[in-house]
Amino acid sequence: MAIPILRTAMMISQSQPFIQYSISAVDEIAKRRKRVVFSSSHSSELNPVIRTSEVSFSVGTCLIPHPKKVEKGGEDAFFVSNYDGGVIAVADGVSGWAEEDVDPSLFPREFMANAYNFVGDEEVNNDPQILMRKAHAATFSTGSATVIIAMLEKNGNLKIANVGDCGLRVIRNGNITFSTSPQEHYFDCPFQLSSERVGQTYLDAKVSNVELMEGDIIVMGSDGLYDNVFDHEIALTVGRYKDVSDAAKALANLASSHAMDSNFDSPYSLEARSKGFEAPLWKKILGMKLTGGKLDDITVIVGQVVSS
């Protein structure tokens, strides 16, 4: 149900010493206004760390649109900000709106533009859940999206708010030490922030706090990444690259390759089978099981914690 939206019609990658503004085709959306509207909280910490300096993110990004949505750049949106230690966020537009002649990319793009503009707001005060609330209230496009926002403080505290099935992983010394969990009503129908009153709000966000240290790697992405790439593949792939931009591009390419492989036993196909979905009859006759990746927009943000 949720399908990524973003910036351009091609793969986008970027590497920066500290977080900088990097939104999809989002600026135009601030001009589009119509009407407004629109669980559970969880906190988790790694072992406390002792630090002697302030930290921030070095960030690389990559977006690969769904093969059928290349012309408009897909339906994912994201931004990167250098506020405080750095802020990263992804919004994945829900493709079902296309059946009602609504462009699924408009809502997430406007949402991300609004969130970027509110990052330094006094009321937000480094709270991604409040940032989510203010961005949602200011978004007037019709549609809905799954959303994840992470804000890094210079003391190493990472605050995360997540609604739906976008995700984030923390990698330390080659091992995944923290991961968000997807929220869904049922298989392939995630929690989502919407222009309609029937939907989730910022209060439904799963909130986490993680203590980071220099050298930690953060991988944030839309479900186009996590439906097609296993966690151990994410850790192995990131470990092969020193440059975060190269790592982001490699992860997005891997997800794209798996998505187009009908024989790959992906995280998505594993979950589908666990929910009782079966292969087509002709495959069952041949003794084959339900396999394959999931074609989708793929957004990847890779951030490394560096001393600032």
Side-chain angles (χ1 to χ4, degrees):
M1 292 265 309
I3 296 190
I5 105 169
L6 186 61
R7 341 177 6 166
T8 71
M10 24 190 335
M11 189 187 315
I12 300 163
S13 67
Q14 166 178 340
S15 178
Q16 311 160 97
F18 308 110
I19 318 248
Q20 295 180 353
Y21 177 58
S22 161
I23 281 203
S24 41
V26 124
D27 298 323
E28 69 209 288
I29 315 248
K31 304 172 187 174
R32 308 180 64 103
R33 308 278 169 192
K34 281 193 176 178
R35 38 188 272 264
V36 336
V37 226
F38 35 144
S39 34
S40 68
S41 176
H42 171 302
S43 179
S44 175
E45 285 192 3
L46 303 177
N47 293 330
V49 295
I50 299 175
R51 63 177 47 77
T52 58
S53 63
E54 295 182 339
V55 297
S56 60
F57 277 143
S58 173
V59 177
T61 66
C62 186
L63 171 85
I64 301 179
H66 187 293
K68 294 183 178 180
K69 302 173 183 179
V70 170
E71 285 190 5
K72 69 173 184 177
E75 296 162 356
D76 277 359
F78 70 89
F79 77 80
V80 175
S81 165
N82 63 359
Y83 179 79
D84 203 11
V87 184
I88 55 178
V90 173
D92 177 351
V94 176
S95 60
W97 283 98
E99 299 171 8
E100 301 186 27
D101 294 322
V102 173
D103 184 346
S105 72
L106 297 181
F107 182 91
R109 287 177 178 175
E110 184 182 359
F111 191 106
M112 288 287 96
N114 289 329
Y116 177 80
N117 289 331
F118 281 122
V119 158
D121 185 83
E122 185 176 352
E123 184 182 359
V124 171
N125 192 28
N126 282 317
D127 187 332
Q129 195 173 22
I130 301 303
L131 179 57
M132 188 177 285
R133 173 178 67 79
K134 292 181 73 71
H136 194 183
T139 300
F140 292 85
S141 294
T142 299
S144 57
T146 62
V147 178
I148 185 167
I149 302 173
M151 307 183 77
L152 178 65
E153 297 177 323
K154 289 183 178 179
N155 63 5
N157 184 38
L158 182 70
K159 298 179 179 179
I160 308 159
N162 184 36
V163 173
D165 57 4
C166 292
L168 181 147
R169 306 289 186 267
V170 175
I171 302 172
R172 179 176 295 170
N173 298 324
N175 299 307
I176 292 181
T177 53
F178 172 84
S179 62
T180 57
S181 300
Q183 300 166 299
E184 57 181 19
H185 300 286
Y186 50 85
F187 179 66
D188 231 13
C189 182
F191 281 22
Q192 53 202 259
L193 300 176
S194 173
S195 60
E196 309 305 305
R197 293 191 180 277
V198 179
Q200 281 64 58
T201 74
Y202 74 101
L203 293 173
D204 296 298
K206 184 171 292 187
V207 177
S208 306
N209 292 289
V210 183
E211 285 294 324
L212 300 182
M213 60 186 296
E214 186 176 352
D216 286 350
I217 301 291
I218 308 304
V219 177
M220 177 183 283
S222 59
D223 64 336
L225 171 64
Y226 298 107
D227 281 344
N228 291 300
V229 183
F230 290 97
D231 278 0
H232 70 273
E233 294 180 294
I234 292 175
L236 284 172
T237 301
V238 167
R240 296 191 184 109
Y241 298 90
K242 293 184 177 180
D243 185 274
V244 288
S245 181
D246 291 340
K249 182 186 292 187
L251 279 176
N253 284 332
L254 180 61
S256 179
S257 175
H258 285 342
M260 293 185 283
D261 185 351
S262 60
N263 294 315
F264 178 64
D265 205 5
S266 65
Y268 183 78
S269 60
L270 283 174
E271 184 181 2
R273 292 202 304 272
S274 74
K275 302 295 185 181
F277 291 86
E278 299 181 346
L281 181 59
W282 68 269
K283 277 194 170 184
K284 295 176 68 176
I285 292 174
L286 295 175
M288 301 169 68
K289 62 184 180 181
L290 179 67
T291 58
K294 179 187 177 186
L295 285 175
D296 208 341
D297 298 326
I298 299 163
T299 297
V300 180
I301 301 176
V302 176
Q304 183 171 25
V305 179
V306 297
S307 174
S308 58

